[in-house]
Amino acid sequence: MKIYGITTESSFVLPNIATSTIESLLDDTGTTKGAVVHYTQGDKGKVHHWVQRIRQHPHPRIYLMPLALIYEGEKPPTLLQKQFDECVSVTQLNSASSTKSALFERVGQWLDRIPNLDNNSSDSSIPFKILRLMASRNKGLEPILTPSNNRGFVYPAIEPMFERSDDSPITSLDFLHRQQFLGRDFFKRAHFCPICESAFLNFIETCPDCAAENLTKEELVHHFKCGHVDNLSHFERHNQLVCPKCDERLKHIGVDYDKPSIVYQCKQCTLQFQDPLLKVQCYSCESVSNIDDVSVEDIYVYQLSAIGLNAALYGLDALFTSILQTDLQLFSNREFKSFIHIEKARISRYKKSTSCVATIYFENLDSLFHRLGKRTEQLFKEISAVFKSVFRESDVISALNESVFVILMTETSEENANLALNRLKNAIQDLFEASLAKELSVGILTRVHRIDSASDLNLMLENALKVEEK
Amino acid sequence: MSLAGLFAFVQNLTFAQVLAYFWPFFLLDMLRYVIIESLLIFKFLFRRKRRQQRRALARHQLFSERPVVSIIVPGKNEGKHISALANSLSQQTYNNFELIIVDDGSDDNTALICRHLLKQGKIDRFFRNEVRGGKASGANTALRFSKGKFIIHIDADSHLAADAIEQILLPFYLDETVGAVGGDVRVANENASFATRLQTIEYIKTISAGRVAASELGILRIISGAHGAFKREVLEQIYGWDVGPGLDGDITLKIRKLGYRVVHAVHAVCYTNVPSKFSSLRKQRYRWDRSLVRFRLRKHVNMLAPASNFRSSSFFSIIENIVFNVFFDFKWIVYVIYMLYTAPHYLGYVFIINYFLYFLANIVQFIIARALIAPSYYSADGLTPFFLPLMPFYTGLYLRAVRTYAYLMEFLHKTSYDDPWNPWKVSRIAKKEKL
């Protein structure tokens, strides 16, 4: 088995590229564009180990490296195939190589867009690495069903990012979904052991009396003419159905007889019943549970959201706030509260000043990401510049969340504060028009509160949120 | 017509005229329902007193043997009643029983309710037939899965007095030849309406008193589906119930044909909800009355033939039934025509006197019946006897009209086969096979 490091963006026809060692590949964060693994049967473990080492590397150029698997003869297992970006048979290599190199190129271009990517870059957060892997491939994440994992399914593309085979990938994906970086669609519903969460369960019908599993199942027959009801076997006589009550031959189901139900008989205690008790035994921990205790969970297919796409480039912090953060120096909520406290004390002490708190709420900020994609960053930078021009050095700005901002405008009357906010609104509105985004329905709602000794920041924020709700 | 005229008419009546004008009352109804029935009830009360020790012994035998009793409750869409029924059964003095519910293709939440009760342990077995097969198939399904030495069939919408199971089992221990015992059925919703008041009196008269009398005479011909007990071996011999409607009367006749005695246990009390509207009462009776023609005059008419299994009591049971119910039902037509012909001027007086006579007869019957059931009698408010004056109207006109119509329809059109009480697939076969 060999591994080839690809340094050019040309096709990866095998004889043209040089064999490499996994160590040299992992050390080279500058020139290696991708890797091709030549798979021979029986090397499954080693290949998986190599992929793990690559995907677990902290440098984006290494862990995002496009990987191709080339095999001869029998196809490698699906789970292994799916850990690679491409999987090609040696015989198909020539015809496939151009599309493969296109993929390599796309990943390369995406890496170039990452700001401040240098030889010392290092991503430690696995969720973030997942986002970047998905963004660089522009692909969703599909689970495959497998007996090799206790949960019965894996996301093979991200599996090598984790050291052990447990449910951490699911936890990470769930986290990313909750943060709205990933959207998801229903894939499958599955049952899991309530003790060990294994998906490998044996559903057993048991006797409600003695809990034995050895049951026989038989149909009941109802003869219309005489009203007799009995097990099917009691009607069977010389390959015919004959009623034991009236000795008449049963001819047509639905016409002179029917089968109204099914009965079970316990071979152990001979009890006859219709509703066997359904139990579940786990193959992993061997525990037996009631069917009602089994946990039922949904398995999803994940796709990157617009927010996730930006986060992949700029980090998990919200894009807009992070831009404002660098341009304007946002204060934390706690700091902001302290400023308000001080300002309130100052006003009540000297009784000369008028200060205001302005709240700004951006409606549908998410839609910007969806419509503008990578241009969002540029727009946010420009909005940030507007913030900078409207507010003064002495104003204190804080973000309640990505969409709600609070600004303490010292020595400003309500009238002036409203003027400033209107200026801000108009400037941003112009910006949208200039960015050909005027059709976007991003509303800007503002509110001004005058500060006096009775002012309550929580109340103001609440009001701001009320505006938000409207 | 005046009050004075009425008195004058009564005073001038000769013995011959009394017989001529009121023969249906004196020769038939008074004789049959007042004199003979009262004598039989007195005989029963007298014998019961004498057999007190034997009854105590039988009771001891029952409780030392403690046989499993299967209480079977087949029905469609009866889920709402099952919980109350199970609760009433938990109060029984005899408690070695299994409660088997058969859901005959219900299309409501019966199965859900019953499965829940099964989990709670309030019922012992539950079987559901996805496809409806009718009352007989439901009862036979329950019989198929029952384990008891005795099988008690009860309706889902009824409930039992606390000693009902014990009382209904005692006759089996008093006499080995008893194959089936009918329980007494009384009205649970006595004070619900005018109709239920009248039915309360009717049930006490015809079921409590009437069946005791028939039982004493050895001609009891019906065991109510609402409350009846059977020896398992007997039911197995006849393979359970045949297709209804009227399957309770049918199975009683089949048991009699086998040579077993059938008796009525008047103190094994089951309370059932009777129709509270005259319209639904009419429909119920229409169904019941038609089955008499179908089973007595069609299916089991062979009991009248002197065959090997001929029994005089069975013969008389059927003859009494046919004569008093079918032929005498038409006697009032004959009577009216006869009166129109012989005494057209006195029709008004004759009607008033007849009404008065039947009212008196009702009072006597009620008092005797009431004395008979005294140990197990329960009344909601004690007002029911005030409805006695209306009984001649109720039984003499209302029920008679329904019955006559039912007989005619069954004789002429065999309408019982079209009754939605059975699924169509079953009725079709029953009609074709003349069952």
Side-chain angles (χ1 to χ4, degrees):
Chain A
M1 199 182 76
K2 288 169 184 166
I3 185 160
Y4 303 88
I6 297 177
T7 48
T8 61
E9 283 171 9
S10 61
S11 68
F12 54 84
V13 180
L14 278 186
N16 298 349
I17 49 177
T19 320
S20 183
T21 63
I22 185 75
E23 278 73 24
S24 61
L25 212 67
L26 293 175
D27 289 342
D28 178 12
T29 54
T31 52
T32 311
K33 306 277 186 194
V36 178
V37 175
H38 190 183
Y39 170 79
T40 42
Q41 270 178 29
D43 283 332
K44 203 177 99 185
K46 196 171 179 188
V47 173
H48 179 70
H49 180 67
W50 281 358
V51 179
Q52 262 189 328
R53 288 191 66 186
I54 293 169
R55 293 290 191 232
Q56 286 175 13
H57 197 278
H59 196 280
R61 282 201 193 282
I62 305 294
Y63 76 79
L64 292 177
M65 181 188 286
L67 295 176
L69 184 68
I70 294 172
Y71 64 93
E72 282 173 66
E74 204 181 314
K75 250 189 165 182
T78 319
L79 192 60
L80 194 67
Q81 285 179 42
K82 300 271 181 180
Q83 290 180 356
F84 284 80
D85 293 301
E86 299 296 342
C87 176
V88 203
S89 155
V90 171
T91 53
Q92 294 169 335
L93 203 56
N94 280 337
S95 59
S97 64
S98 59
T99 54
K100 309 303 160 199
S101 60
L103 165 85
F104 282 32
E105 223 169 280
R106 188 162 69 230
V107 174
Q109 280 169 2
W110 192 86
L111 280 166
D112 291 341
R113 285 173 55 205
I114 299 179
N116 312 323
L117 185 67
D118 57 33
N119 289 349
N120 298 322
S121 295
S122 159
D123 295 337
S124 54
S125 155
I126 294 182
F128 184 52
K129 287 170 81 177
I130 293 174
L131 277 189
R132 287 196 151 172
L133 188 76
M134 290 174 77
S136 60
R137 269 70 178 169
N138 198 18
K139 263 174 85 176
L141 213 50
E142 253 188 47
I144 62 164
L145 303 180
T146 170
S148 67
N149 178 291
N150 203 33
R151 302 274 290 173
F153 72 99
V154 287
Y155 293 90
I158 60 163
E159 200 65 12
M161 288 182 165
F162 298 86
E163 195 65 51
R164 280 181 308 165
S165 169
D166 54 16
D167 60 357
S168 342
I170 297 152
T171 319
S172 299
L173 289 172
D174 194 45
F175 164 77
L176 288 171
H177 169 71
R178 272 187 281 116
Q179 300 293 316
Q180 297 181 353
F181 295 124
L182 296 182
R184 66 187 190 187
D185 288 316
F186 178 82
F187 174 71
K188 202 170 270 296
R189 187 158 296 154
H191 297 76
F192 299 97
C193 169
I195 314 284
C196 72
E197 299 209 306
S198 164
F200 299 95
L201 304 173
N202 187 16
F203 291 78
I204 327 157
E205 290 171 330
T206 64
C207 169
D209 244 26
C210 70
E213 295 172 20
N214 193 0
L215 310 177
T216 54
K217 193 159 120 178
E218 209 177 332
E219 285 172 310
L220 274 190
V221 171
H222 167 214
H223 186 208
F224 296 160
K225 187 183 158 190
C226 66
H228 189 59
V229 178
D230 212 333
N231 286 14
L232 179 66
S233 59
H234 294 167
F235 281 83
E236 285 166 350
R237 215 187 285 171
H238 309 302
N239 292 327
Q240 285 185 334
L241 292 179
V242 179
C243 178
K245 178 173 177 178
C246 63
D247 280 331
E248 189 155 308
R249 192 163 77 85
L250 274 54
K251 295 176 200 96
H252 303 288
I253 187 159
V255 178
D256 58 349
Y257 75 99
D258 63 7
K259 296 176 176 178
S261 56
I262 289 170
V263 269
Y264 292 80
Q265 178 157 29
C266 174
K267 297 281 253 182
Q268 197 158 301
C269 71
T270 72
L271 182 78
Q272 295 199 319
F273 50 89
Q274 272 186 326
D275 300 313
L277 201 61
L278 210 56
K279 297 252 182 191
V280 178
Q281 182 163 35
C282 175
Y283 280 107
S284 302
C285 68
E286 293 185 14
S287 65
V288 178
S289 337
N290 286 329
I291 187 83
D292 296 340
D293 298 333
V294 168
S295 54
V296 181
E297 284 169 38
D298 290 346
I299 304 172
Y300 300 95
V301 173
Y302 291 90
Q303 313 85 23
L304 211 57
S305 69
I307 302 174
L309 205 62
N310 278 285
L313 279 172
Y314 305 107
L316 288 186
D317 299 334
L319 177 63
F320 188 29
T321 37
S322 69
I323 291 169
L324 288 177
Q325 182 83 48
T326 42
D327 285 6
L328 293 173
Q329 202 215 341
L330 292 182
F331 290 94
S332 74
N333 282 336
R334 222 187 54 183
E335 289 166 328
F336 188 78
K337 273 181 191 166
S338 308
F339 275 115
I340 292 283
H341 187 72
I342 295 165
E343 188 64 8
K344 260 165 70 180
R346 198 177 64 86
I347 288 170
S348 61
R349 171 105 165 80
Y350 300 106
K351 293 189 178 65
K352 275 184 187 167
S353 312
T354 317
S355 295
C356 282
V357 170
T359 54
I360 303 170
Y361 167 54
F362 291 92
E363 277 183 320
N364 306 333
L365 205 62
D366 293 356
S367 66
L368 272 186
F369 289 111
H370 290 288
R371 293 292 295 268
L372 295 178
K374 58 186 177 188
R375 280 201 297 131
T376 320
E377 188 199 349
Q378 186 54 40
L379 185 66
F380 282 167
K381 279 201 166 140
E382 284 169 20
I383 295 173
S384 166
V386 173
F387 265 66
K388 213 169 175 176
S389 70
V390 170
F391 298 115
R392 297 158 302 181
E393 288 277 322
S394 57
D395 293 337
V396 182
I397 307 176
S398 174
L400 191 68
N401 59 37
E402 210 180 322
S403 307
V404 182
F405 294 86
V406 276
I407 303 106
L408 168 62
M409 303 169 84
T410 49
E411 299 295 333
T412 312
S413 67
E414 276 170 282
E415 199 184 337
N416 286 339
N418 274 322
L419 272 175
L421 286 176
N422 281 338
R423 262 210 326 272
L424 177 94
K425 266 195 205 173
N426 292 335
I428 293 175
Q429 230 43 277
D430 290 347
L431 210 59
F432 281 160
E433 276 174 38
S435 314
L436 298 172
K438 63 179 170 186
E439 74 276 17
L440 285 177
S441 61
V442 174
I444 308 161
L445 299 169
T446 57
R447 221 173 158 135
V448 170
H449 312 263
R450 196 178 150 174
I451 295 187
D452 52 39
S453 55
S455 292
D456 181 357
L457 180 64
N458 289 334
L459 205 68
M460 287 177 206
L461 293 178
E462 220 171 87
N463 286 337
L465 289 174
K466 266 182 202 158
V467 173
E468 189 177 343
E469 276 164 19
K470 276 171 203 165
Chain B
M1 212 167 66
S2 65
L3 204 60
L6 179 66
F7 278 119
F9 176 73
V10 174
Q11 272 174 349
N12 295 330
L13 277 176
T14 63
F15 181 70
Q17 274 175 318
V18 168
L19 279 190
Y21 291 153
F22 305 105
W23 58 267
F25 177 76
F26 288 109
L27 296 184
L28 301 174
D29 292 327
M30 192 180 87
L31 186 73
R32 159 79 175 80
Y33 292 109
V34 183
I35 298 174
I36 298 179
E37 208 169 277
S38 302
L39 288 174
L40 289 167
I41 289 169
F42 286 134
K43 183 186 160 213
F44 169 80
L45 289 172
F46 177 69
R47 279 206 324 156
R48 193 180 164 85
K49 194 130 186 115
R50 258 188 33 203
R51 289 171 71 177
Q52 244 168 8
Q53 224 170 3
R54 276 189 60 196
R55 286 184 68 82
L57 192 70
R59 187 173 185 278
H60 177 75
Q61 229 179 321
L62 167 68
F63 277 86
S64 52
E65 188 191 324
R66 271 177 63 78
V68 176
V69 176
S70 300
I71 299 177
I72 62 172
V73 187
K76 185 192 174 197
N77 294 348
E78 303 278 16
K80 51 192 177 291
H81 302 298
I82 304 295
S83 179
L85 174 73
N87 283 337
S88 90
L89 286 172
S90 66
Q91 312 288 323
Q92 286 298 312
T93 52
Y94 186 86
N95 55 19
N96 192 22
F97 61 80
E98 54 168 6
L99 176 57
I100 305 176
I101 311 287
V102 172
D103 170 6
D104 187 26
S106 293
D107 47 21
D108 63 355
N109 57 355
T110 292
L112 207 70
I113 294 172
C114 290
R115 290 205 172 100
H116 183 64
L117 291 171
L118 187 71
K119 263 189 191 166
Q120 289 183 320
K122 287 195 171 178
I123 60 180
D124 300 295
R125 317 283 300 278
F126 171 67
F127 295 93
R128 170 170 164 80
N129 285 337
E130 292 293 335
V131 200
R132 188 179 158 225
K135 192 102 175 174
S137 83
N140 288 334
T141 305
L143 175 65
R144 166 79 190 74
F145 296 110
S146 64
K147 288 187 295 193
K149 182 180 175 185
F150 300 104
I151 314 291
I152 298 180
H153 182 293
I154 53 181
D155 279 351
D157 61 347
S158 50
H159 59 270
L160 301 184
D163 63 346
I165 295 180
E166 175 191 331
Q167 292 286 348
I168 208 168
L169 293 176
L170 283 181
F172 293 113
Y173 287 84
L174 282 166
D175 181 354
E176 276 196 351
T177 63
V178 170
V181 181
D184 211 44
V185 180
R186 308 218 182 130
V187 175
N189 50 345
E190 178 184 352
N191 55 0
S193 72
F194 190 56
T196 62
R197 294 277 187 189
L198 297 176
Q199 287 174 86
T200 305
I201 303 176
E202 184 203 359
Y203 272 54
I204 293 175
K205 270 173 50 189
T206 59
I207 297 181
S208 302
R211 289 191 187 165
V212 163
S215 178
E216 279 302 303
L217 212 56
I219 59 167
L220 182 66
R221 59 171 188 275
I222 188 159
I223 286 177
S224 295
H227 191 202
F230 306 87
K231 260 186 190 157
R232 167 178 214 90
E233 63 202 61
V234 176
L235 286 183
E236 278 175 354
Q237 279 180 65
I238 57 174
Y239 286 94
W241 285 263
D242 282 2
V243 175
L247 66 169
D248 354 339
D250 177 62
I251 198 166
T252 317
L253 281 188
K254 283 170 75 186
I255 293 168
R256 295 186 65 92
K257 274 186 185 176
L258 285 177
Y260 287 99
R261 275 190 67 205
V262 178
V263 298
H264 184 71
V266 72
H267 296 304
V269 182
C270 159
Y271 293 95
T272 191
N273 284 306
V274 296
S276 55
K277 283 187 195 148
F278 281 103
S279 56
S280 39
L281 174 65
R282 192 184 67 231
K283 281 179 199 150
Q284 183 200 49
R285 295 308 163 92
Y286 182 54
R287 197 175 70 226
W288 288 4
D289 292 330
R290 280 180 316 191
S291 69
L292 184 127
V293 173
R294 179 162 157 191
F295 289 103
R296 294 303 183 292
L297 291 178
R298 291 213 185 98
K299 190 172 171 186
H300 294 293
V301 79
N302 62 350
M303 281 178 91
L304 299 175
S308 60
N309 62 348
F310 179 83
R311 274 174 74 203
S312 56
S313 62
S314 293
F315 178 85
F316 283 118
S317 164
I318 294 208
I319 286 292
E320 186 267 349
N321 191 207
I322 294 167
V323 169
F324 275 86
N325 285 291
V326 186
F327 294 153
F328 284 9
D329 186 64
F330 293 102
K331 80 168 185 259
W332 65 274
I333 302 172
V334 178
Y335 179 59
V336 170
I337 295 167
Y338 165 79
M339 288 310 293
L340 277 172
Y341 180 69
T342 54
H345 312 297
Y346 303 125
L347 273 186
Y349 294 142
V350 170
F351 177 80
I352 291 168
I353 295 165
N354 256 325
Y355 197 94
F356 182 68
L357 290 172
Y358 278 102
F359 168 52
L360 284 182
N362 263 295
I363 292 177
V364 174
Q365 275 184 291
F366 185 77
I367 290 171
I368 293 172
R370 176 69 183 72
L372 168 73
I373 62 170
S376 55
Y377 181 70
Y378 166 80
S379 169
D381 50 15
L383 294 176
T384 301
F386 293 103
F387 290 81
L388 273 169
L390 295 163
M391 285 307 284
F393 255 128
Y394 173 68
T395 47
L397 293 174
Y398 177 77
L399 290 184
R400 180 158 291 159
V402 174
R403 192 183 308 142
T404 309
Y405 180 69
Y407 289 167
L408 282 174
M409 291 307 282
E410 186 62 26
F411 271 129
L412 301 176
H413 300 297
K414 299 185 180 175
T415 46
S416 74
Y417 294 99
D418 304 327
D419 198 314
W421 193 78
N422 264 332
W424 178 82
K425 59 188 181 189
V426 174
S427 297
R428 191 178 56 86
I429 301 258
K431 191 169 185 175
K432 196 174 124 201
E433 302 282 341
K434 297 193 171 125
L435 296 177

